[in-house]
Amino acid sequence: SSKQSEKQEGQITVGFSQIGAESGWRTANTQSIKSEAEKRGVDLRFSDAQGKQENQIRAIRTFIQQKVDVIAFSPVVETGWQPVLEEAKRAGIPVFLTDRAVDVTDDSLYVSFIGSDFIEEGRRAGEWLAKKMDGKAKIAELQGTTGSAPAIDRKKGFEAFIADYPEMTIIKSQSGDFTRAKGKEVFEAFLRSPEGSEINALYAHNDDMALGAIQAIEEAGKKPGTDIVIVSIDGVHDAFQAILDGKLNCTVECNPLIGPQVFDAVEKYLAGEELPKRIQIEEGVFDENIVTQEVLDKRQY
Amino acid sequence: METKTFRSRAATKIVWPVLALALLILVNVLLDARSFNSFTDAFREGAFLHISFKNGYPSGALIDILNHGSKVMILALGMSLVIATGGVDLSVGAVMAISGATAAVLTVRGLPPTVVIPIALLISMVCGLWNGILVGMLKIQPIVATLILMVAGRGVAQMITGAQIITFHSPVMEFIGNGRLAWLPLPFPFILVLIMLFITWVSTRKTAIGLLVESVGSNPTASRFAGVRATSVIMMAYIFSGFCAGIAGLIAASNIKAADPTHAGLLLEMDAIFAVVVGGTALTGGRFFLGGAIIGGILIQTLTTTMYAQDVSADVAPLPKAIVVLIVCLIQSETFRNKLSKTWRRKQS
Amino acid sequence: MKLRLPIRYVPVGATAFIMILLFWIGAVSFEYFVSPGVVIGLFSEYAFLGIAAIGATFVILSGGIDLSVGSVVSFTSIFIAALIHKHGFHPLAAALLAISVGTIFGLSLGFFIQVFDMPPFMVTLAGMFFMRALGFVVHEQSMSIKHDFYTWISRDAVLVLPSGDGIPLRAFLMVGCILIAIVIAHLTRFGRNVYAVGGDEQSAKMMGLPVTSTKILIYGAAGFCSSLAGFVFTLYKQSGDPASAVGMELDAIAAVVIGGTQLTGGVGFMAGTLMGVIILGLIRTLIDFHGNLNSAWTSITTGLLLLTFIGLQRGIAHLGERAVKSNAAEAD
Amino acid sequence: MPDIHSDPSTPTAVQPRLLLRGTGLDKRFPGVHALQSVDFDLRPGEVHALMGENGAGKSTLIKVLTGFHRKDAGTVLLEDVPIDPASPKEAEATGISTVYQEVNLIPHLSVAENIGLGRQPTRFGLIQNRAIKQRAQQALARVGLKIDVSNSIAECSIAIRQLVAIARAIDLDAKVLILDEPTSSLDAGETAQLFEVVRNLKAEGIGIIFVTHFLDQVYQISDRITVLRNGRLIGTWPAPELPRIQLIEAMTGNKFSEQQPRTASVEAGTQRPAEEAVIQVKRLGRRNSIAPTSFHIHAGETLGIAGLLGSGRTELARLVFGIDRADSGEVRINGKPIRNGSIPAAIQAKMAFSPEDRKFEGIIPELSVRENIILALQAQLGPLRPISRAEQIRLADQYIQALKIKTPSPEFPVQNLSGGNQQKVLLARWLVTQPKFLLLDEPTRGIDVGAKAEIENLTHQLCQEGMAILFISSELDEIVRTSDRVLVLRDKMPIGEVAKDELTEPFIMQMIAKHEPEGAAN
Ligand SMILES: Nc1ncnc2c1ncn2[C@@H]1O[C@H](COP(=O)(O)OP(=O)(O)OP(=O)(O)O)[C@@H](O)[C@H]1O
Ligand SMILES: Nc1ncnc2c1ncn2[C@@H]1O[C@H](COP(=O)(O)OP(=O)(O)OP(=O)(O)O)[C@@H](O)[C@H]1O
Ligand SMILES: [Mg+2]
Ligand SMILES: [Mg+2]
């Protein structure tokens, strides 16, 4: 209760439920939200769901009980939000989604979704690869965690794009769980398989798996980036370093630094402005041609 | 003659997991044969049994199994002792993360491996000591006692790295998980397994520790009455398990040349327990079989590698896994074997 | 001071005390903590865990362990969703079918464990893999359940309190299940046999108890509870998800053990499990109310709170047992 | 030696109807042929004693009859109908009710729940706790036990458990009642009470199979005696036709001389000053357990402890050995005080304790005979000074021979030995440590005559070699035979010490009986 009494007049309280801290990308995402809240003097209630949707639902209920002004969260999965969002609506608390969308029948349950489009990311990766390989590639794919929204959508976007290129085929595809260790282990198995010698391109659903695969390629005596062209998604610091080193060819940015945009949206909404249902984040595609030491030094995550 | 039968109990216990392993490898060979349309190609490039020499070092699916399975095998050694005392250690995955995180952060700070490795292992042993105190002295049930560190340990690891993946560059540190010795060209992690197996075997079977562990696990009250210091035996088992987890954590970090506090060793505790139980050690405590645990570790890694090799998609991968686990259990179950041989005999007559 | 509490009720009494203490800590530390919503939340948010933990309690009382809880929950959730949307089942029919599948699954685990004398850990581990995969076979992605009847039964207020807070069906379901489980555990032959099998299986066999059928039924009951929990899970989220509830078996086991049940079997109370679930819920609620822990600290605090309360519970139980013993002796 | 081939019971002209008949019963365990084509029968209304040395196969025969073990060959007829129970449950359903040797009850359930298990009266499927308690009280009354039926079994002493198990068995309407060593920890009074019950059941026409090692009891109660040796049937005789000495010969297979009473070796013992004693116990007590008690034992002396069930004998021994922590008093060995409540300290001071509860406090079931034997010595040496394999085998062989432990191999898991042999392994465990002071709590429980005499002789011998021994037993005659002095306990209090001329059974009995507890007066 002491916390409440310190609250200044007019200060807004925002409850934010984060998925967890499963990657460097996510940590940067959290950091961006927190520092932006501090900068703007917002009273931020932060809850870490440790990867469980149940925890997120509970956190949102707690926010409702604590009567916060605004709720924002990055959903663990897309489904299952209808009941709790209805509750928030009844309590009159506006909800903002970040990073991932939700599947609800009534889209008045949330104000706006601020984040990237995973399908678009997959499409861009495909587009870059098609250009780089002149529409001819035998591709190995490292998928994200089975059943997760980014894994499904990034696969969908990529496949949809290369469907137009008959000579681009995915000859190997496995889940690498979004981790470096799995990425490496799985790619070793790829290389050793009967089709292994044919692989000349790798599409990884995130940078970490690509970084693991790069090690596997090197250990197998091949040159990553040359013998096998590699494109991945996220754009974390280590990936940029790998591009500089010539080991990674391209990373499609998925920008975690959405704090400013989220709080802009919140403030606009509270000021009575109409907001679009979807606010796209600015994201780029970074390949060997763009990334220089300067670009790397400017990266915040 | 009878003396011999009883002395070879360890050997008979190991027969079944070895048999299961052989069966699994056979399945791979058959699948290969099907995809190549011939049996003669069992060793050709791309086949499961194929071993090639790259830069003079052997490589192939079998080698990969030894390489990647080494973490589970080392964990299983420590877990064997803990399970033999009648406990279980769920925190090994989290301790791996702590060990890797410590090593990575210290390496990035520029400390030499001679300092980094001992510190990481020491911290892991402190984690083991913590479990040992909860279980041995405070008598908290092992599953919950170690669940505490399983939950909190990951947080500690994240704190150490600031919830980032810390990439490091250090030839020695990278060697642990990826190196090859010129005179013994197996993956270095597997050599570590052999060393650890030897150390564990000597320190349990060539001292009285093994006997004391087994007696505490089999009947704690009677052991206490016979003068066995059950508390210190239990604490020692958990400390050793922490130590093993520390080594496995170094291997995991070294493998990817980075510490990933969130994913390192995730869910590996289950694999380790599985390996121990497959190897013939009962979860209720008592007799333990180190060789069996190693075979169990190889078995579970072979299973994983098979999934990759046979292009089983990740979402249905647990299905064959379930079948293999069940078959292994069936083979191990004496009751099942008896029933089987009875029906067999009935058919014969 | 005359404590007439039999020794075996002491651990569960300690658990109750800890639960109240925890609530009191929340009450003095946070505004809005003492509210009907928080209390109802403890029952409704944890209904599926509570129901699954009932099954786990039976299994643990019998000296076994069930690792398949989480997979069965997630399988049931996606199976129900798929039956409704892919095959046009009525939600109730879908739930019934899914729960039957879960129960049969549990029975077959019990069959393997008992008839082939295989370790429960391994068999239920195989079961865990099997159900996880089966869930993905049914549908590889999470799926919303959009059906009027479903929306209606899963609405969050079948009973509205004067304060305006609603109590959802699932809270009643959990309380009902716990009550039934208490009766089964403590007032039926089956329940006593569960304790006997867990206390000393060999002796139970020699005493002529139906060990085989009891053990198979126990795992059947666990399968039933897990799949019922899966159904409640879909009420909670109005969706099914084959990737959900990973590691829920550990939560269930933790709740059972915090409730004072011994993992070695034969000792424990169903009511303790309910309190164990509520304690886990309170820990999470406290963390959420605090609202300023970063991710790492969330894990660490969860662990430390768990430790504190298990430690306290053991300490109180220990003191309580001594007090009861000396009182009993004085009374003689 | 009686003629093995002519069964004296068959010549009778009228063949009485047989209740139970087993023929050609055969059972093998790995390494042991425990039953070799054994025939056995039981008539209605008779008590049929089953006799034999430890490991002769008595318990195995019973377990085969009741389906706990599946027999390898043979047939069983119950009232001329072939039965083949697959489990004790099925045997119970056909009317065979059994109390096994290792008292089988569920430790954490109450006495009443244990008695009622599996047959609780129910209404609408719900069990009636009050009815269960009543029925349990009635059942206990039949065996003469008055205890609170809501106590948990774990809190009860072995003797109480044995009575509860018997109460449970006779609570059932059975045709056949099997009692495997039911009296092994009962005192004379309780045994008499039990026999009363047995006679009543007999009168009802129930057939009773009775296993015991007490020869007196056999002749008191049984009509016929069957003797097994090494898994073979030696013969069946009507009890009156088989003289005691021949029974022993049939059991052991060789001529046997009755154990000689103890030659008082230590007349001077009582005169020796207490300060010179190996062990001095001074006002050792624990609240709610046992009142402060003092005694001392010299080298080469045996102190017996006599008392009724629950008089605190076991609790006193536990206190001395440091299993429980004493509230008051101290224990000194050779004048040096021992750290309170520490077992390792007691062992370090060369104490040894063989507990009465073999199953839970004694054996390490999964470990081999060898490992069980060396465990205490190894624990004392600590983990880092292992006893060499050769030395272990030597020690194990030495004591297996010395104590005549019947085991197929030193590597045999101790849990598969017969009850009496497990007891010997425990004794061996402590003898290996060469203790100065040995506490034996019911060391002859479940041990055959031969072995009992061996253990008594062994005690004498150890005593002569200069060991101080504390000997607890429910059999007064044994205590009198073995001890130089006897400490008498009653209601967890010492009520006096007996030596020399007074050291007779009647005197001690009187002493216990005379000393009424103060509470009883008002
Ligand atoms: N489960 C078992 N596995 C292997 N051997 C066994 C098993 N049970 C009993 N035996 C062996 O069978 C033999 C007969 O044992 P049994 O228990 O029938 O003896 P007993 O006559 O009852 O002896 P006691 O008077 O000591 O109780 C012994 O040699 C024993 O070691
Ligand atoms: N008549 C009785 N009623 C209830 N509890 C009893 C009775 N006798 C013994 N007990 C319990 O059994 C336990 C062991 O008792 P104690 O050590 O006094 O037995 P003891 O003198 O060694 O006799 P025995 O070994 O023959 O049981 C104690 O905890 C005691 O409370
Ligand atoms: Mg016997
Ligand atoms: Mg006693």
Side-chain angles (χ1 to χ4, degrees), chain B residues 170-190:
Chain B
S170 150
V172 177
M173 294 304 291
E174 288 172 24
F175 187 84
I176 297 174
N178 305 298
R180 297 284 176 105
L181 295 172
W183 46 275
L184 189 61
L186 288 173
F188 187 68
F190 186 68

Side-chain angles (χ1 to χ4, degrees), chain A residues 20-25 27-28 48 50 143-144 146-147 171-182 184-186 188-195 197 208 211-212 215 218-221 238 301, chain B residues 35-36 44-47 50 54-55 59-62 64 67-68 71 151 158 162-167 177-178 252 254-258 260 262-263 301 304-305 307-315:
Chain A
E22 75 279 7
S23 62
W25 188 95
T27 311
D48 181 290
Q50 299 180 302
Q143 304 170 33
T146 312
I171 57 171
K172 280 280 176 187
S173 182
Q174 259 291 352
S175 166
D177 254 350
F178 282 136
T179 68
R180 266 187 217 193
K182 280 279 177 209
K184 181 176 179 183
E185 198 179 329
V186 172
E188 265 174 25
F190 281 179
L191 288 175
R192 222 189 23 248
S193 66
E195 308 92 332
S197 49
D208 278 328
L211 292 168
Q215 294 184 21
E218 284 177 330
E219 278 164 28
D238 281 357
Y301 62 97
Chain B
S35 60
F36 296 147
R44 84 169 213 197
E45 176 146 24
H50 174 79
K54 290 210 171 97
N55 318 324
S59 85
L62 296 177
D64 270 9
N67 189 8
H68 294 300
K71 286 164 284 195
V151 175
Q158 285 174 348
Q164 300 284 355
I165 296 179
I166 306 277
T167 310
N178 305 298
S254 172
N255 257 330
I256 56 169
K257 302 170 183 132
D260 182 347
T262 317
H263 298 104
Q301 186 61 44
T304 315
T305 306
M307 301 299 160
Y308 298 149
Q310 302 301 337
D311 270 340
V312 181
S313 91
D315 45 358

Side-chain angles (χ1 to χ4, degrees), chain B residues 277-297:
Chain B
V277 177
V278 164
T281 305
L283 266 180
T284 41
R287 292 274 183 210
F288 65 91
F289 305 92
L290 297 176
I294 296 291
I295 302 289

Side-chain angles (χ1 to χ4, degrees), chain D residues 157-159 308-315 356 441-442 472 474:
Chain D
S157 72
I158 291 271
L308 296 179
L309 217 179
S311 55
R313 298 164 299 177
T314 300
E315 283 168 275
E356 66 174 348
D441 193 357
E442 310 270 10
I472 300 176
S474 296

